[in-house]
Amino acid sequence: DAGVIQSPRHEVTEMGQEVTLRCKPISGHNSLFWYRQTMMRGLELLIYFNNNVPIDDSGMPEDRFSAKMPNASFSTLKIQPSEPRDSAVYFCASSLTGPHEKLFFGSGTQLSVL
Amino acid sequence: AQSVTQLGSHVSVSEGALVLLRCNYSSSVPPYLFWYVQYPNQGLQLLLKYTTGATLVKGINGFEAEFKKSETSFHLTKPSAHMSDAAEYFCAVSRLTGNQFYFGTGTSLTVIP
């Protein structure tokens, strides 16, 4: 298996632009997580999907952030409009059944908003 | 409520020395406990996991951790550090019911030749 695949690996954009991050979980995994990692705040859970349904989105910072999972093999995290404080590494992770199982992480997307 | 505290954001050890990374948790119910490692420019990888049963858990790369309920701790150890162990280590807690999975703030391990 190729593991969790994220794209792009790096994204540089200007403030105010829309940013879309993509994730393909491991086939057969029912749970998908989006995390944000910064030096100041560490690893923050943004949203958790189970069977394509958002279960917990309490970590989504504000309305500028939205996440979708239209099918079991694809998820997106969108930021619109982007701001410099959104600069971070965004990780997608998947697991077989839920948050108590082993999480498999993608390589992350390094986002820089200028 | 659940949370996890990692004592020491930076730990330095000499090559060949004992590695000890500390993790304490708070949980109102028996927890599931994890240690993950993050190498530079990579995602996190699971080192080991405790669910039930034997309290001493062995993981990959020679690491192990012991669940001590009386101390609410799950410290990570390795008898002899290698240069390749230099990375960021995260302790995490969850439980079978519910949706929460909490990561600690991480401990950066430096191995000195």
Side-chain angles (χ1 to χ4, degrees), chain A residues 9 37 55-56 91 99 103 106, chain B residues 36 38 41 43 99-101:
Chain A
R9 191 68 196 273
Q37 187 178 34
I55 303 299
D56 183 355
F91 287 104
L103 270 61
Chain B
Y36 282 82
Q38 184 180 29
N41 301 313
N99 303 317
Q100 293 301 317
F101 187 96

Side-chain angles (χ1 to χ4, degrees), chain A residues 7-82:
Chain A
S7 64
R9 191 68 196 273
H10 301 275
E11 176 79 36
V12 180
T13 190
E14 293 186 346
M15 182 174 63
Q17 296 298 306
E18 175 181 304
V19 175
T20 299
L21 311 182
R22 297 171 175 80
C23 176
K24 175 179 169 57
I26 292 174
S27 177
H29 282 193
N30 293 333
S31 294
L32 184 140
F33 308 79
W34 282 101
Y35 284 91
R36 177 171 68 177
Q37 187 178 34
T38 61
M39 289 292 292
M40 292 298 294
R41 301 173 70 91
L43 267 169
E44 302 173 276
L45 176 64
L46 300 178
I47 188 167
Y48 155 50
F49 291 89
N50 188 262
N51 291 322
N52 313 336
V53 175
I55 303 299
D56 183 355
D57 65 355
S58 59
M60 295 287 265
E62 49 198 273
D63 291 346
R64 298 185 298 105
F65 285 69
S66 62
K68 294 182 179 179
M69 192 164 186
N71 56 63
S73 60
F74 184 65
S75 177
T76 60
L77 178 68
K78 184 179 293 186
I79 308 172
Q80 181 186 21
S82 58

Side-chain angles (χ1 to χ4, degrees), chain B residues 21-33:
Chain B
L21 304 181
R22 299 177 186 275
C23 173
N24 288 87
Y25 69 91
S26 64
S27 176
S28 55
V29 296
Y32 286 9
L33 295 159

